[in-house]
Amino acid sequence: MKVFRYLIKRLLIALITLYIIATATFFLLALTPGDALSARVEKLPDQVTERLYEKYGLDKPVMERYLITMKGLLHGDFGESIIYEGQTVQDIIAEKGPVSARLGLQQMILGVGVGLLLGILAAVKKGKFWDYFVVVLAILLISVPNLIFALLLQMVFAARLKWFPVIGWPSAGQWFSGWKYTVLPTLAGCFGYIAAYSRLLKASMLDVMNQDYVLTAESKGLTHREVILHHVLRNSMIPIITRLPMTVAMCITGSFFIESVFSIPGLGLYYVNAVAAQDVPIVMGETVIIAALYIFVVFITDILYTIVDPRIRISGGKR
Amino acid sequence: MSDKLLKVDNLRVSYHTYAGEVQAVRGVSFELDEGETLALVGESGCGKSVTARSLMRLNKVPPAEIKAESRVLFQGENIYDFDQNRLRRYRGQDAAMIFQDAMAALNPTMTIGKQVAETLLHHQALSKKAAREQVRQLLQQVGISEPERRLRQYPHELSGGMRQRVMIAIAFANQPRLLIADEPTTALDVTIQAQIIDLMKQLQQIHKTAVIMITHDLGVVANLAQRIAVMYAGTIVERGSSREIFYHPRHPYTNMLLEAVPRLDQPEDKELASIAGTPPDLLNPPPGCPFCSRCRYCMDICLKQRPPVYQFEPDHQADCWLYALEKPAEDAPFTRRDDHE
Ligand SMILES: Nc1ncnc2c1ncn2[C@@H]1O[C@H](COP(=O)(O)OP(=O)(O)OP(=O)(O)O)[C@@H](O)[C@H]1O
Ligand code: SF4
Ligand SMILES: [Mg+2]
């Protein structure tokens, strides 16, 4: 019962958040001078221009357009793209979404995984060579922009060594056989996570290692390994989980650059183009979907919390 | 010497901090027989916990430094010479430790059943099932009702007293020869305190465990310890049988501690004497008697030279110039109200 009420509450909050985000996006776009058609219609006769404006409903007053858009969103209908003629927003998302999702997931799994391993290494070897190695590596990875890494990787591993293609992405039928295309973009995008997560886990582990219960564990005669695995790690993961939503946000914004550098036909590239061209339906559609994804991740994070930390229960906070 | 269970000889521990070297323990020596209870008593910050941790080799080095001449002999062997294997057998099997704050000393994300089982499984060849059964029995032994349900719970779901009982179960799991209890009841309220002390006493008698009971409250150890060592500023200033310490305290500091113990026969209107002043800075300890800044009998020599050990009864010593100078000084300048005892 408690859980049910909690879920309803979360759902309501999510819907309100989405509504606010959609509204804000709509009016920001509406307030920007010009519209999606202004460039295209410059050299067209007035009659054609009028018909085009009519077709996309851009001749109607702002409030009416707002209502139409919101009604569409309510039905899950995002409308038709203006700059990519004849394609509905749903089509575009269905086609490009999986590409971006794959890239993002690969980057996150690799980056977070390697980051956590390095974090453990640095904490366990504190004050020794590997600790300093990880610290320096993290500083390096965080201070060099992803874009530079992308270009470097292209130069070394694609142009010079020819191990991987410079640009491109496996087409729909070759999810697995085209893996070579995904290597460099995945690498280029994972460094930020490595830097962030190695530092985060190291700090968290060092903090946990100073807790009394680690002393208790040692006083039982457990091996160093057992102490780390059974007592330190799980408790160190609690603050790490907080960062999960941040990571997904990083992934979404990061992908815009990576996708353009490697010419990957993902959502990021379309999103950037759509904003520049004021293609309201695409921008609205993607914004709402990305926001929904983010809200979902925050929700999953809360659930993970209750799994890792028994002191936290779904309806209440920490005791 | 091999008949002693534990022999601590000139234990010196420093912490290296940004401010300098904190000399937390400055030459502590004592011995402990099988099955005996020794109380280590002193104010906050006098080095009791650092001493306790040193007996298990639990001080983190660095920042801690165990001075080279320090010896902690367990059954004649220096634990600081143990290799990792021997050390792990020593911890948890030969010796166990109970901490002041059981909430902090138990892992918040592990069920208490697992936390007890862990120490069993590590030191004994047991199946998971057998270990679980032993955990159940242990919890029952330390007075936890419904052990079957409790062992699936997490520390935060238990009361403070219960948590300390769990710690005791962990400590006694492998029937250690030596138990170090660092203020095990300080965080608990008075009734629970008494229960926990009783429980420890009872288990100690069953298993013939030697106990080092650390406390800042002499009242707690009155009928628990055979011997008492009084610690001040990283050193033991007086040691002796409980009876001697309680009825014939020799060191002015011990006397002050005794004055601070609440007494049942005390007139209601008389205020508890609290100890005025603060202990010396261990970053820069005084060259003479560490107690001189607070001692009512302080003399010139006390400021300059560390007081010698003065022997009273065969098993009663105090480090104080009062007795060394006024030979033959059998009597303390202060007397206890119940000296007729
Ligand atoms: N990790 C550390 N780093 C620096 N100094 C320390 C450290 N641990 C202990 N000390 C110092 O050692 C001295 C003794 O501390 P200890 O914890 O042994 O006192 P205690 O007698 O147990 O007091 P309490 O009754 O408060 O537990 C203190 O002055 C303290 O500042
Ligand atoms: S040595 Fe001197 S200062 Fe120290 S306790 Fe004895 S009388 Fe007091
Ligand atoms: Mg202490």
Side-chain angles (χ1 to χ4, degrees), chain B residues 249-256 259 289 291-303 307 320-323 325-326 331-336:
Chain B
R250 298 294 183 165
H251 198 281
Y253 176 62
T254 312
N255 190 52
M256 282 173 87
E259 298 283 319
C289 171
F291 191 55
C292 58
S293 63
R294 298 162 80 183
C295 179
R296 156 160 45 132
Y297 311 98
C298 180
M299 300 161 283
D300 273 351
I301 188 150
C302 305
L303 295 169
C320 178
W321 280 114
L322 279 177
Y323 307 98
L325 292 182
E326 311 169 3
D331 278 324
F334 37 82
T335 44
R336 300 280 300 156

Side-chain angles (χ1 to χ4, degrees), chain B residues 175-201:
Chain B
Q175 290 140 30
R177 303 314 317 135
L178 170 66
L179 176 69
I180 300 153
D182 188 358
E183 309 207 37
T185 61
T186 306
L188 306 171
D189 63 52
V190 185
T191 28
I192 313 279
Q193 267 188 22
Q195 289 172 14
I196 295 289
I197 295 283
D198 278 349
L199 173 66
M200 287 183 58
K201 216 167 146 180

